[in-house]
Amino acid sequence: LHHVADVTAVLREVQRGLAPGGRLLIADLEEYDDAAFWQSLGAQWPGFRTHDLSAWLRRAGFEKIRIESGVSAATDRPNSFLAEAVRAS
């Protein structure tokens, strides 16, 4: 998602394409304050705060949202997360 300019529009479109009860999985990076790192990736976003992603998913019509944070093996890189959400019936 960090390469997408309008994350909420993408989430709404994914939700529209899923059958009721369908699952969305997202693996991405948590917010990280290193402009050079994100620029090297061509990213539109400097990672995400998980509470923001949760709110965007809910507004896009998802429920049963679960986000688990991981820890980067490198201390100079952002942590990852895995988000799971279900399209509301």
Side-chain angles (χ1 to χ4, degrees):
L1 283 180
H2 58 263
H3 293 286
V4 176
D6 190 347
V7 172
T8 55
V10 168
L11 293 175
R12 282 192 303 272
E13 186 63 18
V14 169
Q15 187 271 355
R16 190 180 72 78
L18 283 174
R23 294 189 183 280
L24 168 66
L25 294 174
I26 299 170
D28 212 315
L29 301 171
E30 291 183 357
E31 189 173 53
Y32 182 67
D33 189 25
D34 182 345
F37 171 76
W38 294 110
Q39 196 170 38
S40 74
L41 297 178
Q44 299 286 319
W45 291 82
F48 299 97
R49 293 182 297 198
T50 55
H51 66 273
D52 288 338
L53 181 59
S54 181
W56 296 336
L57 286 164
R58 196 163 310 286
R59 281 197 300 268
F62 289 93
E63 58 188 14
K64 299 180 184 174
I65 297 163
R66 187 176 64 140
I67 301 176
E68 292 186 22
S69 294
V71 177
S72 174
T75 58
D76 63 338
R77 294 291 180 247
N79 291 333
S80 61
F81 66 84
L82 181 63
E84 178 183 19
V86 176
R87 180 184 170 182
S89 299

Coordinates of all heavy atoms in Angstrom, one line a residue:
L1 N 0.8 -1.2 0.0 CA 0.0 0.0 0.0 C 0.8 1.3 0.0 O 0.4 2.3 -0.4 CB -0.9 0.0 1.2 CG -2.1 -0.8 1.2 CD1 -2.9 -0.7 2.5 CD2 -3.0 -0.6 0.1
H2 N 2.1 1.2 0.5 CA 2.9 2.4 0.6 C 3.2 3.0 -0.8 O 3.7 4.1 -0.9 CB 4.1 2.3 1.5 CG 5.0 1.2 1.0 ND1 5.0 -0.1 1.6 CD2 6.0 1.2 0.1 CE1 6.0 -0.8 1.0 NE2 6.6 0.0 0.1
H3 N 2.9 2.3 -1.9 CA 3.1 2.8 -3.2 C 1.9 3.5 -3.8 O 1.9 4.0 -4.9 CB 3.6 1.7 -4.2 CG 5.0 1.2 -3.8 ND1 6.1 1.9 -4.0 CD2 5.3 0.0 -3.2 CE1 7.1 1.2 -3.6 NE2 6.7 0.1 -3.1
V4 N 0.8 3.4 -3.1 CA -0.5 3.9 -3.6 C -0.8 5.3 -3.0 O -0.7 5.5 -1.8 CB -1.6 2.9 -3.2 CG1 -3.0 3.4 -3.6 CG2 -1.4 1.5 -3.8
A5 N -1.2 6.2 -3.9 CA -1.4 7.6 -3.4 C -2.7 7.7 -2.6 O -2.8 8.3 -1.6 CB -1.5 8.6 -4.6
D6 N -3.8 7.0 -3.1 CA -5.1 7.1 -2.4 C -5.5 5.7 -1.8 O -6.2 4.9 -2.4 CB -6.2 7.6 -3.4 CG -7.5 7.9 -2.7 OD1 -7.7 7.6 -1.5 OD2 -8.3 8.5 -3.4
V7 N -5.0 5.5 -0.6 CA -5.2 4.2 0.0 C -6.6 3.9 0.3 O -7.1 2.8 0.0 CB -4.4 4.1 1.4 CG1 -4.7 2.9 2.2 CG2 -2.9 4.2 1.1
T8 N -7.4 4.9 0.7 CA -8.8 4.6 1.0 C -9.6 4.2 -0.3 O -10.5 3.4 -0.2 CB -9.5 5.8 1.7 OG1 -9.3 7.0 0.9 CG2 -8.9 6.1 3.1
A9 N -9.3 4.8 -1.4 CA -9.9 4.5 -2.7 C -9.6 3.0 -3.0 O -10.5 2.3 -3.5 CB -9.5 5.4 -3.8
V10 N -8.4 2.6 -2.8 CA -8.0 1.2 -3.1 C -8.7 0.3 -2.2 O -9.2 -0.8 -2.7 CB -6.4 1.1 -3.0 CG1 -6.0 -0.4 -3.0 CG2 -5.7 1.8 -4.1
L11 N -8.8 0.6 -0.9 CA -9.5 -0.3 0.0 C -11.0 -0.4 -0.3 O -11.5 -1.5 -0.3 CB -9.3 0.2 1.4 CG -7.9 0.1 2.0 CD1 -7.8 0.7 3.4 CD2 -7.4 -1.3 2.0
R12 N -11.6 0.7 -0.7 CA -13.0 0.6 -1.1 C -13.2 -0.3 -2.4 O -14.1 -1.0 -2.5 CB -13.5 2.0 -1.4 CG -13.9 2.8 -0.1 CD -14.7 4.0 -0.4 NE -14.0 5.0 -1.4 CZ -13.1 5.9 -1.0 NH1 -12.9 6.1 0.3 NH2 -12.6 6.7 -1.9
E13 N -12.2 -0.1 -3.3 CA -12.3 -0.9 -4.6 C -12.1 -2.4 -4.3 O -12.8 -3.3 -4.8 CB -11.3 -0.4 -5.6 CG -11.4 -1.1 -6.9 CD -12.8 -0.9 -7.6 OE1 -13.5 0.1 -7.3 OE2 -13.1 -1.7 -8.6
V14 N -11.2 -2.7 -3.4 CA -10.9 -4.1 -3.0 C -12.2 -4.7 -2.3 O -12.6 -5.8 -2.6 CB -9.7 -4.3 -2.1 CG1 -9.6 -5.7 -1.5 CG2 -8.4 -4.0 -2.9
Q15 N -12.8 -3.9 -1.4 CA -14.0 -4.3 -0.7 C -15.1 -4.6 -1.7 O -15.8 -5.6 -1.6 CB -14.4 -3.2 0.3 CG -15.5 -3.6 1.2 CD -16.9 -3.3 0.6 OE1 -17.1 -2.7 -0.4 NE2 -17.9 -3.7 1.3
R16 N -15.2 -3.8 -2.7 CA -16.3 -3.9 -3.7 C -16.1 -5.2 -4.5 O -17.1 -5.9 -4.9 CB -16.2 -2.7 -4.7 CG -17.4 -2.6 -5.6 CD -17.3 -1.4 -6.5 NE -16.3 -1.5 -7.6 CZ -16.4 -2.2 -8.7 NH1 -17.5 -2.9 -8.9 NH2 -15.4 -2.3 -9.6
G17 N -14.9 -5.6 -4.7 CA -14.6 -6.8 -5.5 C -14.7 -8.1 -4.8 O -14.7 -9.2 -5.4
L18 N -14.7 -8.0 -3.4 CA -14.8 -9.2 -2.6 C -16.2 -9.7 -2.4 O -17.1 -8.8 -2.3 CB -14.1 -9.0 -1.2 CG -12.6 -9.0 -1.2 CD1 -12.2 -8.6 0.2 CD2 -12.0 -10.4 -1.5
A19 N -16.4 -11.0 -2.3 CA -17.7 -11.5 -1.9 C -18.0 -11.2 -0.5 O -17.0 -11.1 0.3 CB -17.8 -13.0 -2.2
P20 N -19.2 -11.0 0.0 CA -19.5 -10.9 1.4 C -18.8 -12.0 2.2 O -18.9 -13.2 1.8 CB -21.0 -11.0 1.5 CG -21.5 -10.5 0.2 CD -20.4 -11.0 -0.8
G21 N -18.1 -11.7 3.2 CA -17.3 -12.6 4.0 C -15.9 -12.9 3.5 O -15.1 -13.6 4.1
G22 N -15.6 -12.3 2.3 CA -14.3 -12.5 1.7 C -13.2 -11.8 2.6 O -13.5 -10.8 3.3
R23 N -12.0 -12.3 2.5 CA -10.9 -11.8 3.4 C -9.9 -11.0 2.6 O -9.5 -11.4 1.4 CB -10.2 -13.0 4.1 CG -11.0 -13.7 5.0 CD -10.2 -14.7 5.9 NE -11.1 -15.4 6.8 CZ -11.5 -15.0 7.9 NH1 -11.2 -13.8 8.3 NH2 -12.3 -15.7 8.7
L24 N -9.4 -10.0 3.2 CA -8.3 -9.2 2.7 C -7.1 -9.4 3.6 O -7.2 -9.3 4.8 CB -8.7 -7.7 2.6 CG -7.6 -6.7 2.3 CD1 -7.0 -6.9 0.9 CD2 -8.1 -5.3 2.5
L25 N -5.9 -9.6 3.0 CA -4.7 -9.7 3.8 C -3.7 -8.6 3.2 O -3.6 -8.5 2.0 CB -4.0 -11.0 3.7 CG -4.7 -12.2 4.3 CD1 -4.0 -13.5 4.0 CD2 -4.9 -12.0 5.8
I26 N -3.1 -7.9 4.1 CA -2.2 -6.8 3.8 C -0.9 -7.0 4.6 O -1.0 -7.1 5.8 CB -2.7 -5.4 4.1 CG1 -4.0 -5.2 3.3 CG2 -1.7 -4.4 3.7 CD1 -4.7 -3.9 3.7
A27 N 0.2 -7.1 3.9 CA 1.5 -7.1 4.5 C 2.2 -5.8 4.1 O 2.3 -5.5 2.9 CB 2.3 -8.3 4.1
D28 N 2.6 -5.0 5.1 CA 3.2 -3.7 4.7 C 4.1 -3.3 5.9 O 4.4 -4.1 6.8 CB 2.2 -2.6 4.4 CG 2.7 -1.6 3.4 OD1 3.9 -1.2 3.5 OD2 1.9 -1.3 2.5
L29 N 4.5 -2.0 5.9 CA 5.5 -1.5 6.9 C 4.9 -0.5 7.7 O 4.1 0.3 7.3 CB 6.7 -1.0 6.2 CG 7.5 -2.0 5.3 CD1 8.5 -1.3 4.5 CD2 8.1 -3.1 6.1
E30 N 5.2 -0.5 9.0 CA 4.7 0.6 9.9 C 5.4 1.9 9.6 O 6.5 1.9 9.0 CB 5.0 0.1 11.4 CG 4.2 -1.1 11.8 CD 4.4 -1.4 13.2 OE1 5.2 -0.8 13.9 OE2 3.7 -2.4 13.7
E31 N 4.8 2.9 10.1 CA 5.4 4.3 9.9 C 6.8 4.3 10.4 O 7.1 3.8 11.5 CB 4.5 5.3 10.7 CG 4.9 6.7 10.4 CD 3.9 7.7 11.0 OE1 3.7 7.6 12.2 OE2 3.4 8.5 10.3
Y32 N 7.6 5.0 9.7 CA 9.1 5.0 9.9 C 9.6 6.4 9.4 O 9.4 6.7 8.2 CB 9.7 3.9 9.3 CG 11.2 3.7 9.5 CD1 11.7 3.4 10.7 CD2 12.1 3.8 8.4 CE1 13.1 3.2 10.9 CE2 13.5 3.7 8.6 CZ 13.9 3.3 9.9 OH 15.3 3.2 10.1
D33 N 10.3 7.1 10.2 CA 10.7 8.5 9.9 C 12.1 8.4 9.3 O 13.1 8.7 10.0 CB 10.7 9.3 11.1 CG 10.9 10.8 10.8 OD1 10.7 11.2 9.7 OD2 11.4 11.5 11.7
D34 N 12.2 8.1 8.0 CA 13.5 8.1 7.3 C 13.1 8.4 5.8 O 12.9 7.5 5.0 CB 14.2 6.8 7.4 CG 15.6 6.8 6.7 OD1 15.8 7.7 5.9 OD2 16.4 5.9 7.0
A35 N 13.1 9.6 5.5 CA 12.7 10.0 4.1 C 13.5 9.4 3.0 O 13.0 9.0 2.0 CB 12.7 11.6 4.0
A36 N 14.8 9.2 3.3 CA 15.7 8.6 2.3 C 15.3 7.2 2.0 O 15.4 6.7 0.9 CB 17.2 8.7 2.7
F37 N 15.0 6.5 3.1 CA 14.5 5.1 2.9 C 13.3 5.0 2.0 O 13.3 4.2 1.1 CB 14.3 4.5 4.3 CG 13.6 3.1 4.2 CD1 14.4 2.0 3.9 CD2 12.3 2.9 4.5 CE1 13.8 0.7 3.9 CE2 11.7 1.7 4.4 CZ 12.5 0.6 4.1
W38 N 12.3 5.8 2.3 CA 11.0 5.7 1.6 C 11.2 6.2 0.1 O 10.7 5.6 -0.8 CB 10.0 6.5 2.3 CG 9.6 5.8 3.6 CD1 9.8 6.3 4.8 CD2 8.9 4.6 3.7 NE1 9.4 5.4 5.8 CE2 8.8 4.3 5.1 CE3 8.4 3.6 2.9 CZ2 8.2 3.2 5.6 CZ3 7.8 2.5 3.4 CH2 7.7 2.3 4.8
Q39 N 12.1 7.2 0.0 CA 12.4 7.7 -1.4 C 13.0 6.6 -2.2 O 12.7 6.5 -3.4 CB 13.2 9.0 -1.3 CG 13.2 9.8 -2.5 CD 13.9 11.1 -2.3 OE1 14.9 11.2 -1.5 NE2 13.4 12.2 -2.9
S40 N 13.9 5.9 -1.6 CA 14.6 4.8 -2.3 C 13.7 3.7 -2.8 O 13.9 3.0 -3.8 CB 15.7 4.2 -1.5 OG 15.2 3.4 -0.5
L41 N 12.5 3.6 -2.1 CA 11.5 2.6 -2.5 C 10.5 3.2 -3.5 O 9.6 2.5 -4.0 CB 10.8 2.1 -1.3 CG 11.6 1.3 -0.3 CD1 10.7 0.9 0.9 CD2 12.2 0.1 -0.9
G42 N 10.5 4.5 -3.7 CA 9.5 5.1 -4.5 C 8.1 5.2 -3.8 O 7.1 5.1 -4.5
A43 N 8.1 5.2 -2.5 CA 6.9 5.1 -1.7 C 6.1 6.4 -1.7 O 6.7 7.5 -1.8 CB 7.2 4.7 -0.3
Q44 N 4.8 6.3 -1.7 CA 3.9 7.5 -1.5 C 3.7 7.8 -0.1 O 3.3 8.9 0.3 CB 2.6 7.2 -2.2 CG 2.7 6.9 -3.7 CD 2.9 8.2 -4.5 OE1 2.4 9.3 -4.2 NE2 3.8 8.2 -5.4
W45 N 3.9 6.8 0.8 CA 3.6 6.9 2.2 C 4.8 6.4 3.0 O 5.5 5.5 2.6 CB 2.4 6.0 2.6 CG 1.1 6.4 2.1 CD1 0.6 6.2 0.9 CD2 0.1 7.1 2.8 NE1 -0.6 6.7 0.7 CE2 -1.0 7.3 1.9 CE3 0.0 7.6 4.1 CZ2 -2.1 8.0 2.3 CZ3 -1.1 8.3 4.5 CH2 -2.2 8.5 3.6
P46 N 5.1 7.1 4.2 CA 6.2 6.6 5.0 C 5.8 5.5 6.0 O 6.0 5.5 7.1 CB 6.6 7.9 5.8 CG 5.2 8.6 5.9 CD 4.5 8.3 4.7
G47 N 5.1 4.5 5.4 CA 4.6 3.4 6.3 C 3.3 3.9 6.8 O 2.7 4.9 6.5
F48 N 2.7 3.0 7.7 CA 1.4 3.3 8.2 C 1.3 3.1 9.7 O 2.0 2.2 10.3 CB 0.4 2.4 7.6 CG 0.3 2.5 6.1 CD1 1.0 1.7 5.3 CD2 -0.4 3.5 5.5 CE1 0.9 1.8 3.9 CE2 -0.5 3.7 4.2 CZ 0.2 2.9 3.3
R49 N 0.5 3.9 10.4 CA 0.2 3.7 11.8 C -1.0 2.7 11.7 O -2.0 2.9 11.0 CB -0.2 5.0 12.5 CG 0.9 5.9 12.6 CD 0.6 7.2 13.3 NE -0.4 7.9 12.5 CZ -0.7 9.1 12.7 NH1 -0.2 9.9 13.6 NH2 -1.7 9.7 11.9
T50 N -0.9 1.6 12.5 CA -1.9 0.6 12.4 C -3.3 1.1 12.8 O -4.3 0.6 12.2 CB -1.5 -0.6 13.3 OG1 -1.2 -0.2 14.6 CG2 -0.2 -1.3 12.7
H51 N -3.4 2.0 13.7 CA -4.7 2.5 14.1 C -5.4 3.3 12.9 O -6.6 3.3 12.8 CB -4.7 3.3 15.4 CG -4.0 4.6 15.3 ND1 -2.6 4.7 15.6 CD2 -4.4 5.8 15.0 CE1 -2.2 5.9 15.5 NE2 -3.3 6.6 15.1
D52 N -4.5 3.9 12.1 CA -5.1 4.6 10.9 C -5.6 3.6 9.9 O -6.7 3.7 9.4 CB -4.0 5.5 10.2 CG -3.7 6.7 11.0 OD1 -4.5 7.2 11.9 OD2 -2.6 7.3 10.8
L53 N -4.8 2.6 9.7 CA -5.2 1.5 8.7 C -6.5 0.8 9.2 O -7.4 0.6 8.4 CB -4.1 0.5 8.5 CG -4.4 -0.6 7.5 CD1 -4.7 -0.1 6.1 CD2 -3.3 -1.6 7.5
S54 N -6.6 0.6 10.4 CA -7.8 0.0 11.0 C -9.0 0.8 10.7 O -10.1 0.3 10.3 CB -7.6 -0.3 12.5 OG -8.8 -0.9 13.0
A55 N -8.9 2.1 10.9 CA -10.0 3.1 10.7 C -10.4 3.1 9.2 O -11.6 3.1 8.9 CB -9.7 4.5 11.2
W56 N -9.4 3.1 8.3 CA -9.6 3.2 6.9 C -10.4 1.9 6.4 O -11.3 1.9 5.6 CB -8.4 3.3 6.1 CG -7.6 4.6 6.4 CD1 -8.2 5.8 6.8 CD2 -6.3 4.9 6.2 NE1 -7.2 6.8 6.9 CE2 -6.0 6.2 6.5 CE3 -5.2 4.1 5.8 CZ2 -4.7 6.8 6.5 CZ3 -3.9 4.6 5.7 CH2 -3.7 6.0 6.0
L57 N -9.9 0.7 7.0 CA -10.6 -0.5 6.6 C -12.0 -0.5 7.1 O -12.9 -0.9 6.3 CB -9.8 -1.7 7.3 CG -8.5 -2.1 6.6 CD1 -7.6 -2.9 7.5 CD2 -8.7 -2.7 5.3
R58 N -12.3 -0.1 8.3 CA -13.6 0.0 8.8 C -14.5 0.9 7.9 O -15.6 0.5 7.5 CB -13.6 0.4 10.2 CG -14.9 0.1 11.0 CD -14.8 0.2 12.5 NE -13.7 -0.5 13.0 CZ -13.6 -1.8 13.2 NH1 -14.6 -2.6 12.8 NH2 -12.6 -2.4 13.7
R59 N -14.0 2.0 7.6 CA -14.8 3.0 6.7 C -15.0 2.4 5.3 O -16.0 2.8 4.7 CB -14.1 4.3 6.6 CG -14.3 5.2 7.8 CD -13.9 6.6 7.6 NE -12.6 6.9 7.2 CZ -11.6 7.1 8.0 NH1 -11.8 7.2 9.3 NH2 -10.3 7.3 7.6
A60 N -14.1 1.5 4.9 CA -14.3 0.9 3.5 C -15.2 -0.2 3.5 O -15.5 -0.8 2.5 CB -12.9 0.5 3.0
G61 N -15.7 -0.6 4.7 CA -16.7 -1.7 4.8 C -16.2 -3.0 5.2 O -16.8 -4.1 5.0
F62 N -15.1 -3.0 5.9 CA -14.5 -4.2 6.4 C -14.8 -4.3 7.9 O -15.0 -3.4 8.6 CB -13.0 -4.3 6.2 CG -12.6 -4.5 4.8 CD1 -12.3 -3.4 4.0 CD2 -12.5 -5.8 4.3 CE1 -12.0 -3.6 2.6 CE2 -12.2 -6.0 2.9 CZ -11.9 -4.9 2.1
E63 N -14.8 -5.6 8.4 CA -15.0 -5.8 9.8 C -14.0 -6.9 10.3 O -13.2 -7.4 9.4 CB -16.5 -6.3 10.1 CG -16.9 -7.5 9.3 CD -18.4 -7.8 9.5 OE1 -19.1 -7.0 9.9 OE2 -18.7 -8.9 9.1
K64 N -14.1 -7.3 11.5 CA -13.2 -8.4 12.1 C -11.8 -8.1 11.7 O -11.0 -8.9 11.2 CB -13.6 -9.7 11.6 CG -15.0 -10.1 12.0 CD -15.4 -11.5 11.5 CE -16.8 -11.8 11.9 NZ -17.3 -13.1 11.3
I65 N -11.4 -6.8 11.9 CA -10.0 -6.3 11.5 C -9.0 -6.8 12.6 O -9.2 -6.6 13.8 CB -10.0 -4.8 11.4 CG1 -11.0 -4.4 10.3 CG2 -8.6 -4.3 11.1 CD1 -11.4 -3.0 10.3
R66 N -8.0 -7.4 12.1 CA -6.9 -7.8 13.0 C -5.6 -7.4 12.4 O -5.3 -7.7 11.3 CB -6.9 -9.3 13.2 CG -6.0 -9.8 14.3 CD -6.2 -11.3 14.4 NE -5.8 -12.0 13.2 CZ -5.2 -13.1 13.1 NH1 -4.8 -13.7 14.2 NH2 -4.9 -13.7 12.0
I67 N -4.7 -6.7 13.2 CA -3.4 -6.3 12.8 C -2.4 -6.7 13.8 O -2.5 -6.4 14.9 CB -3.4 -4.7 12.6 CG1 -4.5 -4.3 11.6 CG2 -2.0 -4.3 12.1 CD1 -4.6 -2.8 11.4
E68 N -1.4 -7.4 13.2 CA -0.3 -7.9 14.1 C 1.0 -7.3 13.6 O 1.3 -7.3 12.4 CB -0.2 -9.4 14.0 CG -1.4 -10.1 14.6 CD -1.2 -11.7 14.7 OE1 0.0 -12.1 14.6 OE2 -2.2 -12.3 14.8
S69 N 1.7 -6.7 14.5 CA 3.0 -6.1 14.2 C 4.1 -7.1 14.3 O 4.1 -8.0 15.2 CB 3.3 -4.9 15.1 OG 2.4 -3.9 14.9
G70 N 5.1 -7.0 13.4 CA 6.3 -7.8 13.5 C 7.5 -6.9 13.8 O 7.3 -5.7 13.9
V71 N 8.6 -7.5 14.0 CA 9.8 -6.7 14.4 C 10.8 -6.9 13.3 O 11.1 -8.0 12.9 CB 10.3 -7.1 15.7 CG1 11.6 -6.4 16.1 CG2 9.3 -6.9 16.8
S72 N 11.4 -5.8 12.8 CA 12.4 -5.9 11.8 C 13.7 -6.5 12.4 O 14.1 -6.1 13.5 CB 12.7 -4.5 11.2 OG 13.8 -4.6 10.3
A73 N 14.3 -7.3 11.6 CA 15.6 -7.9 12.1 C 16.7 -6.8 12.0 O 17.7 -6.9 12.8 CB 16.0 -9.0 11.2
A74 N 16.5 -5.8 11.2 CA 17.5 -4.7 11.1 C 17.0 -3.5 12.0 O 15.8 -3.1 11.8 CB 17.6 -4.2 9.7
T75 N 17.8 -3.0 12.8 CA 17.4 -1.9 13.7 C 17.2 -0.6 12.9 O 16.6 0.3 13.4 CB 18.4 -1.7 14.8 OG1 19.7 -1.4 14.2 CG2 18.5 -2.9 15.7
D76 N 17.7 -0.5 11.7 CA 17.6 0.7 10.9 C 16.5 0.6 9.8 O 16.6 1.4 8.9 CB 19.0 1.1 10.3 CG 19.5 0.1 9.3 OD1 19.0 -1.1 9.4 OD2 20.3 0.4 8.5
R77 N 15.6 -0.3 10.1 CA 14.5 -0.4 9.1 C 13.1 -0.5 9.9 O 13.1 -0.9 11.0 CB 14.6 -1.7 8.3 CG 15.8 -1.7 7.4 CD 15.6 -0.7 6.2 NE 16.7 -0.6 5.3 CZ 17.5 0.4 5.2 NH1 17.3 1.5 5.9 NH2 18.5 0.4 4.3
P78 N 12.0 -0.2 9.2 CA 10.7 -0.2 9.8 C 10.3 -1.6 10.2 O 10.7 -2.6 9.5 CB 9.8 0.5 8.8 CG 10.5 0.3 7.5 CD 11.9 0.2 7.8
N79 N 9.4 -1.7 11.2 CA 8.7 -2.9 11.5 C 7.7 -3.2 10.4 O 7.1 -2.3 9.8 CB 8.1 -2.9 12.9 CG 9.1 -2.8 14.0 OD1 10.3 -3.3 13.8 ND2 8.8 -2.3 15.1
S80 N 7.4 -4.5 10.3 CA 6.3 -4.8 9.3 C 5.0 -5.1 10.1 O 5.0 -5.1 11.3 CB 6.7 -6.1 8.6 OG 6.9 -7.2 9.5
F81 N 3.9 -5.3 9.4 CA 2.7 -5.7 10.0 C 1.9 -6.5 9.0 O 2.1 -6.5 7.8 CB 1.8 -4.5 10.5 CG 1.3 -3.6 9.4 CD1 0.1 -4.0 8.7 CD2 1.9 -2.5 9.0 CE1 -0.4 -3.2 7.7 CE2 1.5 -1.7 8.0 CZ 0.3 -2.0 7.3
L82 N 1.0 -7.3 9.6 CA 0.1 -8.1 8.7 C -1.3 -7.8 9.2 O -1.6 -7.8 10.4 CB 0.3 -9.6 8.9 CG -0.6 -10.6 8.1 CD1 -0.3 -10.4 6.6 CD2 -0.3 -12.0 8.5
A83 N -2.1 -7.3 8.3 CA -3.5 -7.0 8.6 C -4.4 -8.0 7.9 O -4.2 -8.4 6.7 CB -3.8 -5.6 8.1
E84 N -5.5 -8.3 8.6 CA -6.5 -9.2 8.0 C -7.9 -8.5 8.3 O -8.1 -8.0 9.4 CB -6.5 -10.5 8.7 CG -7.6 -11.5 8.3 CD -7.6 -12.8 9.0 OE1 -7.0 -12.9 10.1 OE2 -8.2 -13.8 8.5
A85 N -8.7 -8.5 7.3 CA -10.1 -7.9 7.4 C -11.0 -8.7 6.6 O -10.7 -9.3 5.6 CB -10.0 -6.5 7.0
V86 N -12.3 -8.7 7.0 CA -13.4 -9.4 6.3 C -14.4 -8.4 5.8 O -14.8 -7.5 6.5 CB -14.0 -10.4 7.3 CG1 -15.2 -11.1 6.7 CG2 -13.0 -11.4 7.9
R87 N -14.8 -8.7 4.5 CA -15.8 -7.8 4.0 C -17.1 -8.1 4.7 O -17.6 -9.2 4.9 CB -16.0 -8.1 2.5 CG -17.1 -7.2 1.9 CD -17.5 -7.5 0.5 NE -18.7 -6.7 0.2 CZ -19.3 -6.7 -0.9 NH1 -18.8 -7.5 -1.9 NH2 -20.4 -6.0 -1.1
A88 N -17.7 -7.0 5.2 CA -19.0 -7.1 5.9 C -20.0 -7.8 5.0 O -20.0 -7.6 3.8 CB -19.5 -5.7 6.3
S89 N -20.9 -8.5 5.6 CA -22.0 -9.2 4.8 C -23.1 -8.3 4.4 O -23.3 -7.3 5.0 CB -22.6 -10.3 5.7 OG -21.5 -11.2 6.0

